[in-house]
């Protein structure tokens, strides 16, 4: 079994694999290294015929808190080519997980912000703990949820997505269920057993038929092809170069409010 620095990958004897984001001290935020290792792990899982189903979860108290601060700093300082390379790497990782030939079950054990919402959206089914929190928080920084957007809109539908896509408002697991981001919400102590039971259904069916059925569903769903992926990468790079992103990221690192923050009228 492969070993990783930012992930923990284990496979039970029945073929149920668990892919765990393993940076609990950073709330499993997506770093450049983690993005690369997730792509590598997904390719390895695809190539292993013994694996029947994959559970995606996070170590510690969070599922995935979005982009790592170090990654954001590097984007802040990068040129256009560097930003496009990073955006394509992130988009490619999400595409690889989204088209995984094995069923992918999200075990949402805690906070899922920004890219964490994207990670939940590429799962075939996501089950959340009652305490889980969600948010598309990019606009607070002057950014947009670009590379994750095809998967978020495919999961929620445009109408529901627009309720949370721009406001950066955080919302709980019950609202995530109403938005179709997650399929079920269970008590925290029941999450692991509930996900395990969901995974065990796939031990009774043809792996080849499952892979074909998943690919068919993906072809019939909203188009997420190379053109769409490249468009979202360009949109992210464009936004990084905008005055609002520069002001928002600077304010974030300086721990002050960005210039557009307005207090509600009394």
């Amino acid at each position: 079994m492969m070993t990783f620095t930012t992930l923990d990958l284990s496979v039970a004897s029945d073929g149920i694999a668990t892919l765990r984001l393993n940076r609990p001290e950073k709330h499993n935020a997506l770093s450049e290294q983690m993005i690369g290792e997730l792509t590598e792990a997904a390719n390895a899982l695809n190539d292993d015929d013994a694996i029947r189903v994959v559970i995606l979860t996070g170590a510690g108290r969070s599922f995935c808190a979005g982009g790592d601060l170090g990654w954001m700093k590097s984007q802040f300082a990068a040129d256009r080519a560097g930003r496009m390379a990073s955006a394509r790497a992130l988009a490619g990782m999400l595409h690889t997980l989204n088209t995984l030939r094995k069923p992918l079950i999200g075990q949402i054990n805690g906070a899922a912000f920004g890219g964490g919402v994207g990670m939940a959206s590429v799962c075939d089914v996501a089950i959340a703990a009652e305490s889980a929190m969600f948010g598309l928080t990019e606009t607070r920084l002057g950014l947009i949820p670009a590379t994750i957007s095809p998967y978020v809109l495919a999961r929620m539908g445009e109408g529901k997505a627009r309720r949370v896509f721009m406001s950066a408002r955080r919302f709980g697991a019950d609202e995530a269920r109403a938005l179709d981001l997650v399929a079920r919400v269970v008590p925290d102590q029941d999450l692991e057993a509930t996900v395990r039971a969901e995974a065990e259904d796939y031990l009774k069916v043809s792996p080849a038929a499952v892979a074909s059925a998943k690919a068919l569903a993906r072809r019939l769903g909203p188009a997420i092809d190379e053109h769409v992926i490249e468009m979202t990468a360009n949109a992210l790079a464009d936004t990084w170069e905008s005055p609002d992103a520069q002001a928002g990221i600077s304010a974030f690192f300086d721990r002050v409010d960005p210039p557009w923050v307005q207090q509600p009228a009394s």
Side-chain angles (χ1 to χ4, degrees):
M1 182 56 58
M2 302 177 69
T3 58
F4 301 96
T5 301
T6 66
L7 309 173
D8 178 67
L9 177 59
S10 60
V11 182
S13 59
D14 55 10
I16 297 178
T18 300
L19 179 60
R20 194 180 308 274
L21 311 183
N22 194 26
R23 301 180 73 215
E25 74 286 356
K26 300 292 186 183
H27 296 278
N28 301 315
L30 292 166
S31 65
E32 183 176 357
Q33 183 174 11
M34 181 183 278
I35 291 167
E37 290 189 347
L38 279 165
T39 304
E40 186 179 356
N43 287 326
L45 290 165
N46 254 340
D47 292 339
D48 191 337
D49 291 338
I51 293 174
R52 303 288 294 273
V53 57
V54 180
I55 296 169
L56 177 65
T57 190
R61 297 183 293 118
S62 297
F63 174 67
C64 176
D68 175 76
L69 291 181
W71 183 82
M72 286 201 296
K73 285 181 178 179
S74 71
Q75 297 309 294
F76 189 64
D79 59 13
R80 176 75 182 198
R83 288 171 178 155
M84 282 298 299
S86 292
R88 287 176 178 133
L90 176 58
M93 178 271 288
L94 292 166
H95 176 71
T96 302
L97 286 173
N98 191 55
T99 55
L100 192 72
R101 291 190 293 274
K102 325 286 181 173
L104 183 63
I105 302 175
Q107 182 175 306
I108 315 302
N109 56 300
F113 300 135
V117 174
M119 296 286 285
S121 297
V122 300
C123 295
D124 297 300
V125 57
I127 300 173
E130 286 179 336
S131 64
M133 292 294 296
F134 302 82
L136 292 151
T137 53
E138 290 86 347
T139 53
R140 287 184 181 173
L141 301 176
L143 298 171
I144 61 173
T147 50
I148 66 173
S149 61
Y151 310 102
V152 174
L153 269 69
R155 173 54 54 85
M156 296 186 190
E158 182 185 348
K160 289 182 178 179
R162 284 168 65 167
R163 288 163 49 182
V164 293
F165 200 69
M166 297 86 75
S167 68
R169 177 175 61 82
R170 297 187 179 190
F171 53 94
D174 286 339
E175 187 169 359
R177 171 65 188 89
L179 292 167
D180 292 328
L181 177 58
V182 302
R184 297 174 64 186
V185 178
V186 299
D188 289 34
Q189 65 270 21
D190 296 338
L191 179 62
E192 187 171 346
T194 302
V195 170
R196 173 75 193 191
E198 184 83 19
E200 287 175 353
D201 284 340
Y202 290 101
L203 303 180
K204 308 167 188 174
V205 293
S206 158
V210 166
S212 295
K214 180 172 178 176
L216 178 61
R218 183 75 293 282
R219 288 198 300 273
L220 294 173
I224 306 176
D225 54 19
E226 290 182 5
H227 172 74
V228 170
I229 292 168
E230 184 69 5
M231 181 268 289
T232 65
N234 272 287
L236 181 58
D238 288 345
T239 306
W240 270 104
E241 294 166 4
S242 70
D244 274 14
Q246 298 294 304
I249 298 297
S250 293
F252 177 78
F253 288 130
D254 291 341
R255 298 179 182 272
V256 298
D257 285 338
W260 53 77
V261 170
Q262 176 67 51
Q263 297 301 319
S266 59

